[in-house]
Amino acid sequence: MRAAIPKRGLPMDLFHELVAFPELIADPNFTVELPMIREEEVRGPVPAGARYRHPREWWRLDRRLLEVVETIRVETPADLLGLLPDGVPESFTSADIAALSGRPRHLAMRAAFCLQRSGATRCTGRRGRLQTYERVSATDQ
């Protein structure tokens, strides 16, 4: 058996799940807590006779929590903006988010959708085929 290094996640990955209910973030009684953790994955050889569509030499035997690094609380739409990578300009597109985060384009599009539907940003027009967004200030809400 050997221990493997787990995938590295970013707080921005929350948008994969949040896309189903982005309007709830604006509700004052709704809060999301996002624990950032370190875990260990224990792998071992696949037992003889096990069949998979894509054969492999190992399978996951266990996952162990090593530590909770931090917990991020999302209570308001403005908190969602904190999940974006550093350096996002005042007027941005989903392509800007994808380029700065190093994450896939579909995740950046989900992030832009969630930000707009929650009220943290608004659509201001287009840059080519991409919609442009800008942050909504607290006085505009």
Side-chain angles (χ1 to χ4, degrees):
M1 284 190 268
R2 66 183 179 97
I5 298 173
K7 288 192 240 181
R8 298 177 195 265
L10 292 176
M12 189 176 144
D13 293 333
L14 175 67
F15 290 114
H16 276 301
E17 305 300 327
L18 193 61
V19 74
F21 50 89
E23 297 88 1
L24 279 180
I25 294 297
D27 189 308
N29 296 320
F30 185 78
T31 301
V32 175
E33 288 193 0
L34 180 64
M36 302 304 290
I37 64 166
R38 282 190 49 238
E39 71 175 12
E40 177 182 63
E41 185 176 274
V42 179
R43 298 177 181 181
V46 173
R51 295 174 47 119
Y52 291 101
R53 174 177 278 176
H54 303 286
R56 54 187 163 191
E57 297 175 7
W58 59 268
W59 68 359
R60 182 173 50 218
L61 299 174
D62 195 13
R63 289 170 44 187
R64 299 180 189 134
L65 177 66
L66 298 177
E67 70 175 310
V68 177
V69 178
E70 68 175 310
T71 301
I72 300 169
R73 291 178 61 97
V74 178
E75 297 174 329
T76 65
D79 294 340
L80 286 177
L81 292 169
L83 301 179
L84 295 178
D86 294 334
V88 175
E90 192 62 36
S91 178
F92 61 92
T93 66
S94 59
D96 297 332
I97 297 172
L100 290 169
S101 68
R103 290 292 201 234
R105 183 77 171 271
H106 67 88
L107 175 59
M109 291 169 66
R110 288 178 179 192
F113 172 80
C114 290
L115 291 167
Q116 183 182 8
R117 294 297 295 263
S118 68
T121 62
R122 67 172 161 244
C123 184
T124 58
R126 291 189 164 278
R127 188 183 318 154
R129 293 177 57 193
L130 302 172
Q131 290 185 341
T132 57
Y133 302 93
E134 70 177 20
R135 293 172 173 84
V136 174
S137 64
T139 58
D140 294 342
Q141 293 181 351

